[in-house]
Amino acid sequence: MAEAMIEFQSVTKQYQGGQPAVDGLSMSIDKGSITVFVGPSGCGKTTSLRMINRMVEPTSGTITVAGKDVSNEPAAQLRRSMGYVMQSSGLMPHRSVLDNIATVPRLNGVSRAAARKRAEELLDVVGLASTLGKRYPSQLSGGQQQRVGVARALAADPPVLLMDEPFSAVDPVVRDELQQELLRLQRELAKTIVFVTHDIDEATVLGDKVAVFAVGGKLAQYAAPEEILRAPANDFVASFVGRDRGFRHLSFNAADAVRIHPVKTVEAPELAAGNSEWAVVVDAGSRPLGWASPRDGAGLIPGGSLFRRGDSLRRALDAALSSPAGMGVVVDEHGRLVGVLKADEVLALIEETRHKREDAT
Amino acid sequence: MSDIFTDTFAWLTDPDHWSGSGGIATRLLEHLEYSGLVLLIAAAIAVPVGLFIGHTGHGRVAAVAFAGALRALPTLGLLVLFALLAGSGLMPPVWALVILTVPPLLAGTYAGISSVDPTVVDAARAMGMTELQVLFRVELPNGLQVMFGGIRTAVLQVIATVSVVAYLPLGGLGRYLFDGLVLQDFPRMLGGSLLIAALAIAVDLVLAVAERIFLPHGLSIDSRGGHKAAGDLAAAAPAGAAVQGGTA
Ligand SMILES: Nc1ncnc2c1ncn2[C@@H]1O[C@H](COP(=O)(O)OP(=O)(O)OP(=O)(O)O)[C@@H](O)[C@H]1O
Ligand SMILES: [Mg+2]
């Protein structure tokens, strides 16, 4: 059992008038892991998150961080011990990127030079060029601003990171990138991260544990993402998790057992003319570029998604279904072609995995 | 018709009119002194109150109503009333003018602070800034541009209205208006009003320069490196501002 870092004990928040935003919430958040709060709009996710650093004061109940009641600590001091990232970057427009990142160390009394130096390191940690440090927030793209927001939250090396929909205002490609980098960072830093989103996909990608909130800050289910997709606790969770949950759940099954077939390769699509079968067009480093069709002769047909060895069943199925040739392209860690997999075999494997699970329970 | 202009020009350029105890130089200095005194006292009242209201949001409604009521007071009437109640001397008219100057300064300060993006303020607080740090390190620098607008309006108003203290009678450039009227000396009146207008423009220019100096650099640049204000004199963009836009 993991050690608890943050604990909610019968926490209720009632804003003036109306129903409580959060009603009797009790939960325990594991140390060194990512816990995701997910749920429909207005269900009290932000309120719950902001009670942790006292940006919102609970009406009743207690919250402890590392065993200490947060209400006993001066609010400003408490907040400096937790990183906070929000949807709009909230960077200070009048300060350079470096000075923005250096904010909390400066508040903690670190010298300007040392804080700047730390800020420069952090630019690198979040994947930004050091030349961006001298810019002002208005001169950055939305994705870059969010990275700076993450760097700022990490600057004082706080054990806890609170993130409120930090990636929801950027486009899907950048969001995917930021999610992957958060996971990479987390492997190195092992912070206790509480992450709010309303996107169940994001929740399952990032969360070690996912808390599904129903309206009124009621915990509908709190479990590992795999379990939430496989066995929703009730109709609310099932409907929130959505129609594609069967497909999403495949993310949690390895596709190691899928058969990889050899495939004909050519270095230029013209070379495939007169062929009787589909061939993968590769570059000199044998990285796949696309397909050459037996019918159309010359012409590079864009390929589908790639399946990297070690990926999940979800990726395997997607690779097979998105390929124009009906065969998913398999590559190794370096992106070099290994072979192809076939949709019917992936489906058979999915079926087999399901049987195994049935037998196990 | 053209006589009055040549006469005014002659009046303004006559060196005898510039020196001496009633000369233009002395009057100009008096005018600046009165204006400065009024502004100093008014700012000492209006700025802290404006900062407080802007930061906390408390008392906003009361302040708006109060400032509106003060603005409606007639300048000359107030001045005479104060002189009658408090006697002669410099301070009664100064206090009267302070009452008229507080509303625009208060409104400008308040507007500046409340113009700052609430998410930036929220983030600053969430970083662990104390309320005073939020006010002075985030709200004030980011609200400065709007605040300066209010300050400049208030300063121009004071320079114009300080002329009326000559009615009491005290010094300042207003003397030329009142004396000119009594003596039917129109070149003197016109010369006096030109001097007041020139002083207002000069002071406004000084404030414009001060604004450029005090405004945080990050606020005067537009996204993507360009400078926001057309004809911005500020020198080079920060290093790297104009270079590539991509992520590493
Ligand atoms: N400052 C406030 N004053 C009054 N009511 C509030 C305040 N903040 C939030 N609420 C109410 O509390 C409830 C929960 O709000 P909260 O912001 O926690 O929801 P959320 O789950 O974060 O929603 P979203 O996904 O839209 O961000 C909502 O009904 C909201 O209207
Ligand atoms: Mg929210």
Side-chain angles (χ1 to χ4, degrees):
Chain A
M1 203 65 244
E3 189 185 342
M5 181 69 174
I6 304 171
E7 250 169 313
F8 287 78
Q9 288 150 14
S10 327
V11 175
T12 295
K13 175 63 191 183
Q14 174 123 38
Y15 292 107
Q16 261 113 350
Q19 286 180 309
V22 177
D23 193 4
L25 177 66
S26 292
M27 70 184 294
S28 156
I29 290 168
D30 295 339
K31 186 174 181 171
S33 67
I34 303 183
T35 300
V36 179
F37 290 179
V38 69
S41 189
C43 67
K45 307 180 292 291
T46 298
T47 302
S48 302
L49 185 80
R50 285 164 71 92
M51 285 192 288
I52 299 173
N53 66 353
R54 291 186 62 191
M55 287 298 284
V56 172
E57 298 285 357
T59 312
S60 66
T62 46
I63 297 171
T64 61
V65 173
K68 281 188 284 188
D69 186 341
V70 293
S71 66
N72 291 335
E73 216 170 326
Q77 192 183 320
L78 177 79
R79 290 171 194 154
R80 281 179 224 162
S81 71
M82 300 179 188
Y84 186 76
V85 189
M86 54 193 204
Q87 181 173 357
S88 65
S89 69
L91 299 175
M92 291 180 281
H94 67 299
R95 290 199 184 164
S96 71
V97 165
L98 275 189
D99 287 341
N100 261 288
I101 298 175
T103 303
V104 184
R106 290 289 289 143
L107 291 176
N108 285 336
V110 174
S111 76
R112 179 179 291 262
R116 285 246 173 99
K117 192 155 175 294
R118 168 83 180 134
E120 272 167 22
E121 290 166 18
L122 279 162
L123 270 182
D124 187 50
V125 168
V126 299
L128 289 174
S130 59
T131 52
L132 295 188
K134 295 196 203 81
R135 288 205 201 172
Y136 288 91
S138 65
Q139 299 169 312
L140 300 182
S141 73
Q144 289 168 335
Q145 288 183 22
Q146 286 312 106
R147 285 171 196 263
V148 175
V150 173
R152 177 171 70 169
L154 290 172
D157 203 19
V160 174
L161 222 52
L162 308 175
M163 310 181 87
D164 192 356
E165 305 200 28
F167 307 148
S168 61
V170 295
D171 71 65
V173 177
V174 175
R175 187 182 315 147
D176 197 53
E177 221 173 273
L178 290 171
Q179 286 169 356
Q180 291 311 316
E181 283 194 42
L182 180 65
L183 288 173
R184 175 180 64 76
L185 270 177
Q186 173 64 357
R187 277 193 291 273
E188 290 163 24
L189 303 176
K191 304 278 181 198
T192 303
I193 300 180
V194 186
F195 190 106
V196 168
T197 178
H198 53 248
D199 176 1
I200 185 70
D201 252 329
E202 186 165 67
T204 53
V205 168
L206 294 178
D208 294 308
K209 257 181 154 181
V210 174
V212 184
F213 281 65
V215 177
K218 290 216 163 45
L219 255 190
Q221 190 170 6
Y222 183 32
E226 175 189 6
E227 190 179 331
I228 284 175
L229 292 177
R230 181 169 49 79
N234 53 40
D235 289 348
F236 169 77
V237 178
S239 73
F240 184 75
V241 166
R243 256 202 307 272
D244 297 332
R245 75 181 162 93
F247 183 56
R248 290 199 187 101
H249 185 253
L250 294 176
S251 309
F252 298 100
N253 295 118
D256 299 342
V258 79
R259 267 188 66 193
I260 298 173
H261 302 270
V263 66
K264 185 173 166 53
T265 62
V266 291
E267 290 224 342
E270 301 84 64
L271 302 179
N275 256 350
S276 57
E277 54 185 319
W278 284 88
V280 178
V281 183
V282 291
D283 68 7
S286 85
R287 278 179 290 270
L289 301 171
W291 287 91
S293 155
R295 264 184 304 283
D296 303 348
L300 182 69
I301 302 173
S305 61
L306 296 177
F307 176 82
R308 213 169 282 270
R309 271 197 305 218
D311 272 350
S312 65
L313 270 178
R314 177 176 173 170
R315 298 248 180 209
L317 187 61
D318 194 66
L321 295 180
S322 65
S323 161
M327 295 176 284
V329 175
V330 183
V331 294
D332 65 12
E333 321 56 85
H334 306 291
R336 287 187 297 251
L337 181 74
V338 174
V340 292
L341 47 75
K342 295 185 173 159
D344 55 348
E345 289 174 3
V346 175
L347 285 170
L349 187 61
I350 291 170
E351 189 65 3
E352 196 182 308
T353 314
R354 194 179 63 81
H355 280 304
K356 266 196 214 137
R357 201 165 51 228
E358 266 174 12
D359 295 345
T361 52
Chain B
M1 258 326 270
S2 76
D3 263 4
I4 181 144
F5 292 111
T6 41
D7 289 352
T8 304
F9 184 74
W11 184 85
L12 278 172
T13 49
D14 184 344
D16 284 350
H17 289 150
W18 281 85
S19 54
S21 67
I24 294 173
T26 313
R27 294 289 179 230
L28 205 67
L29 215 63
E30 285 171 351
H31 204 98
L32 278 174
E33 275 169 17
Y34 297 163
S35 304
L37 189 59
V38 169
L39 281 166
L40 220 63
I41 299 174
I45 299 167
V47 172
V49 176
L51 291 180
F52 176 82
I53 296 173
H55 177 72
T56 61
H58 291 319
R60 197 175 47 214
V61 178
V64 169
F66 186 63
L70 286 186
R71 267 191 237 233
L73 293 172
T75 311
L76 202 57
L78 198 67
L79 211 65
V80 172
L81 182 70
F82 267 63
L84 289 177
L85 291 181
S88 61
L90 178 62
M91 284 325 279
V94 164
W95 281 112
L97 291 175
V98 164
I99 287 179
L100 296 167
T101 311
V102 163
L105 272 182
L106 181 65
T109 309
Y110 161 72
I113 296 301
S114 52
S115 73
V116 181
D117 182 353
T119 63
V120 171
V121 176
D122 187 70
R125 199 169 275 132
M127 291 297 107
M129 285 195 186
T130 61
E131 292 307 307
L132 280 181
Q133 288 168 333
V134 169
L135 177 58
F136 287 106
R137 298 189 190 184
V138 181
E139 290 176 317
L140 193 61
N142 286 293
L144 212 52
Q145 196 159 28
V146 173
M147 276 175 69
F148 255 107
I151 291 171
R152 282 166 75 168
T153 313
V155 170
L156 292 186
Q157 181 197 309
V158 169
I159 288 177
T161 51
V162 150
S163 311
V164 302
V165 303
Y167 180 74
L168 283 179
L170 286 166
L173 291 167
R175 277 261 57 84
Y176 298 122
L177 305 184
F178 287 101
D179 294 352
L181 192 63
V182 171
L183 301 172
Q184 297 282 303
D185 183 350
F186 295 115
R188 183 191 300 218
M189 282 182 78
L190 188 55
S193 35
L194 285 177
L195 284 170
I196 294 170
L199 180 64
I201 292 171
V203 169
D204 197 46
L205 273 176
V206 169
L207 287 176
V209 171
E211 179 175 342
R212 186 145 298 152
I213 292 169
F214 285 114
L215 201 66
H217 188 79
L219 299 182
S220 59
I221 20 183
D222 207 349
S223 51
R224 310 282 147 200
H227 275 259
K228 215 175 243 165
D232 197 325
L233 299 177
V243 281
Q244 100 282 13
T247 326

